[in-house]
Amino acid sequence: MAEVTLRTRKFIRNPLLGRKQMVVDVLHPQRANVSKEDLRQKLSELYKCEKDTVSVFGFRTQFGGGKSTGFALLYDSTAAMKKFEPHYRLVRVGMAAKKERASRQQRKQRKNRQKEYRGTAKVKGGASAKDKGKKK
């Protein structure tokens, strides 16, 4: 496995959000890029914190390869991370479950079916096209 070097810059301590935030430069010659899981592990060792409190995102590999740049947040506790980190990033690191819901198209179709029933008692607005033509 090739050597990977981490360099941090623009380091800021953010006490209101209970975290340290920084830009991370990853030097990875002989490799296409480095997984976020590996980066979280290396940053936790570098800053002596738990891997569960590290969030990395926004990595872009430079043209020609060998160097990537992204952003890292090191939270003071898992509670602070759960409170301030966006839900989708918590899902990525396995700290939250993804919300299961219908597809975007199904939600839009249901919304438009609901419009037909405005002002009447709404059962679910889920009547199919076949049922709409029938009179009782």
Side-chain angles (χ1 to χ4, degrees):
M1 197 128 132
E3 186 65 29
V4 174
T5 307
L6 291 182
R7 290 199 181 124
T8 59
R9 57 190 169 92
K10 296 189 179 177
F11 183 92
I12 296 172
R13 174 81 185 93
N14 190 336
L16 291 174
L17 298 179
R19 70 186 185 196
K20 302 174 192 92
Q21 49 198 56
M22 66 203 79
V23 174
V24 180
D25 293 325
V26 186
L27 301 172
H28 49 90
Q30 319 304 317
R31 275 181 83 166
N33 49 27
V34 187
S35 72
K36 289 182 188 164
E37 204 61 29
D38 292 345
L39 292 174
R40 287 177 65 213
Q41 183 65 44
K42 284 189 174 287
L43 281 168
S44 66
E45 291 167 6
L46 194 66
Y47 285 94
K48 297 175 182 67
C49 61
E50 296 174 31
K51 183 181 168 188
D52 294 340
T53 61
V54 179
S55 174
V56 293
F57 57 94
F59 280 86
R60 290 276 172 251
T61 307
Q62 266 190 3
F63 181 75
K67 183 181 178 184
S68 299
T69 303
F71 208 72
L73 305 173
L74 284 74
Y75 285 90
D76 297 341
S77 65
T78 53
M81 186 167 180
K82 284 184 178 175
K83 184 175 180 184
F84 296 115
E85 194 72 356
H87 189 264
Y88 74 95
R89 287 206 299 248
L90 290 174
V91 170
R92 278 184 191 171
V93 297
M95 291 182 77
K98 186 175 183 188
K99 293 178 186 172
E100 290 299 323
R101 57 184 177 191
S103 72
R104 184 177 168 91
Q105 183 176 8
Q106 286 173 332
R107 291 197 311 261
K108 285 174 176 284
Q109 287 170 346
R110 181 167 180 219
K111 176 205 41 131
N112 289 328
R113 279 199 306 269
Q114 290 276 32
K115 285 187 203 172
E116 297 174 19
Y117 295 97
R118 184 183 162 120
T120 63
K122 292 182 183 157
V123 178
K124 189 154 184 178
S128 66
K130 290 187 286 183
D131 297 338
K132 288 181 186 172
K134 296 180 181 175
K135 297 271 182 185
K136 290 183 182 176

